[in-house]
């Protein structure tokens, strides 16, 4: 009697796989990079501005309080004032994180063209070669391949499962792809907030330096008697140099931010395309098996 009850006991649905642990090591690594790069850029920029650009050899009479030598651009930039090293550090930060994001997103794309990878996976799915599709993911590597591989592994698990219906299996595959995507995409967007922030702040800091320069220029004009020509020239130089550095840094930051976001959108679209193919293939293959079992 006990054996009969055990035999008739309905099959319980398997517990959903626990989501993978967040990549805390990579997250801490990204935060540590920002904590190192930003102060280091400030220190390097100040040292270059103070001891390289402000060296007396770049100025008339061997004194950095005088006008810079004709055609000496280091001395000209030095005359931009104390805002210059701040703008220089922003420029270095934008360049550093742009290189870091380029390398990270390139690794996330994988070893081959992302379009070619998605096309190969879809071809494998069309012939129901799930093992071959997983092997393609192993060859491709990167964030997109990791998400697709997680979906394919869940596909195989659901194909062997007999305790739940087709709709629940499809939802399980879809959830696995979404969870894998949620773990991979934040790493692609990391540090982009720094670039986007500097895109706005650099212009404002440059305008602040422009205001300081114009204050010095008008102060030189306000002198009793003959205006201070040196002070006027230095004030105008300070204003123009800060404006130029602020605009340059902001322009580069905007271009790089838009470039990286477009690349991330491309990767996201590829993940969605591959995930849709996985779900559609499972639905069609499982549906055919159900029809065959009904006819039999």
């Amino acid at each position: 009697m006990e054996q009969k009850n055990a035999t008739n006991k309905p099959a319980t649905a398997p517990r959903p796989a626990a989501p993978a642990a967040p990549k805390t090591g990579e997250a801490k690594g990204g935060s540590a990079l920002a904590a190192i790069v930003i102060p280091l850029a400030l220190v390097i920029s100040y040292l270059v501005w103070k001891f390289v650009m402000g060296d007396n050899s770049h100025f008339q009479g061997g004194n950095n309080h005088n006008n810079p030598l004709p055609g000496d651009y280091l001395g000209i930039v030095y005359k931009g004032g104390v805002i210059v090293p701040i703008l220089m550090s922003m420029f270095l930060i934008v360049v550093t994180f742009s290189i870091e994001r380029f390398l990270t997103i390139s690794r996330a794309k994988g070893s081959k063209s992302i379009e070619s990878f998605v096309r190969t996976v879809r071809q494998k799915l069309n012939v129901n070669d799930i093992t071959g599709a997983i092997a393609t993911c192993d060859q491709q590597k990167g964030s997109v391949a990791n998400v697709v591989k997680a979906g394919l592994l869940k596909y195989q698990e659901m194909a062997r499962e007999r305790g739940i219906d087709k709709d629940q299996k499809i939802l399980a595959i879809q959830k696995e792809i979404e969870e894998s995507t949620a773990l991979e995409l934040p790493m692609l967007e990391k540090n982009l907030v720094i670039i986007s922030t500097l895109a706005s702040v650099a212009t404002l800091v440059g305008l602040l330096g422009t205001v300081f320069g114009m204050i010095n220029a008008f102060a030189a004009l306000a002198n009793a008697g003959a205006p201070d020509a040196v002070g006027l020239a230095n004030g105008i130089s300070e204003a123009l140099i800060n404006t130029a550095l602020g605009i340059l840094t902001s322009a580069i930051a905007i271009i790089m931010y838009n470039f990286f976001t477009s690349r991330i959108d491309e990767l996201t679209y590829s993940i969605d395309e591959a995930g849709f193919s996985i779900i559609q293939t499972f639905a069609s293959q499982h549906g055919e098996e159900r029809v065959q079992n009904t006819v039999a």
Side-chain angles (χ1 to χ4, degrees):
M1 190 68 179
E2 294 180 357
Q3 293 179 352
K4 183 177 180 180
N5 292 336
T7 304
N8 295 333
K9 185 177 180 180
T12 58
R15 293 183 179 179
K23 300 179 179 179
T24 54
E26 295 183 11
K28 291 180 179 178
S31 301
L33 178 64
I36 294 173
V37 169
I38 294 175
L40 187 61
L42 287 169
V43 171
I44 292 175
S45 299
Y46 178 79
L47 293 177
V48 170
W49 175 77
K50 183 68 176 178
F51 298 105
V52 177
M53 296 179 177
D55 187 83
N56 292 328
S57 62
H58 301 297
F59 300 90
Q60 296 177 2
N63 189 343
N64 59 13
H65 293 288
N66 297 331
N67 286 334
L69 296 173
D72 194 320
Y73 291 101
L74 293 179
I76 293 174
V77 174
Y78 175 80
K79 285 300 181 179
V82 295
I83 302 295
V84 169
I86 299 176
L87 290 170
M88 289 172 57
S89 66
M90 291 183 176
F91 178 82
L92 289 177
I93 292 170
V94 169
V95 172
T96 301
F97 283 113
S98 295
I99 296 174
E100 184 266 339
R101 283 296 89 193
F102 180 81
L103 296 176
T104 300
I105 294 176
S106 297
R107 288 196 301 267
K109 184 182 69 173
S111 58
K112 298 180 181 178
S113 170
I114 195 68
E115 294 82 3
S116 175
F117 166 69
V118 174
R119 191 183 309 114
T120 303
V121 170
R122 296 185 68 177
Q123 291 173 353
K124 299 289 185 182
L125 290 172
N126 289 336
V127 296
N128 200 28
D129 184 9
I130 308 303
T131 303
I134 294 175
T136 302
C137 294
D138 292 333
Q139 295 174 357
Q140 178 72 10
K141 300 179 181 179
S143 297
V144 177
N146 291 339
V147 174
V148 175
K149 182 179 179 180
L152 292 172
L153 293 174
K154 197 68 175 181
Y155 182 110
Q156 287 185 327
E157 179 184 345
M158 291 296 102
R160 294 189 297 265
E161 181 60 45
R162 294 294 179 265
I164 54 179
D165 59 25
K166 181 184 71 173
D167 292 337
Q168 291 177 332
K169 292 179 180 180
I170 292 176
L171 288 176
I173 297 173
Q174 186 175 2
K175 182 180 179 181
E176 182 70 20
I177 295 174
E178 290 175 354
E179 289 178 351
S180 299
T181 303
L183 291 174
E184 294 288 346
L185 287 185
M187 298 309 303
L188 301 180
E189 298 173 351
K190 196 171 191 61
N191 295 330
L192 282 183
V193 65
I194 297 177
I195 297 178
S196 64
T197 300
L198 291 180
S200 301
V201 174
T203 303
L204 298 178
V205 174
L207 291 176
L208 180 63
T210 302
V211 172
F212 288 163
M214 296 307 298
I215 291 173
N216 294 332
F218 282 107
L221 287 175
N223 288 336
D228 184 0
V230 175
L232 177 61
N234 289 339
I236 296 176
S237 174
E238 179 178 352
L240 295 178
I241 289 171
N242 286 303
T243 302
L245 286 176
I247 292 175
L248 176 63
T249 302
S250 179
I252 294 176
I254 291 172
I255 292 172
M256 299 312 298
Y257 178 80
N258 291 333
F259 172 75
F260 292 134
T261 52
S262 65
R263 292 289 299 274
I264 293 173
D265 290 341
E266 179 185 351
L267 296 179
T268 304
Y269 175 79
S270 300
I271 291 174
D272 292 341
E273 184 180 2
F276 178 78
S277 299
I278 293 172
I279 293 173
Q280 288 296 105
T281 301
F282 184 88
S284 61
Q285 294 293 334
H286 193 82
E288 291 176 359
E289 292 177 1
R290 172 173 288 185
V291 172
Q292 291 174 1
N293 293 334
T294 303
V295 173

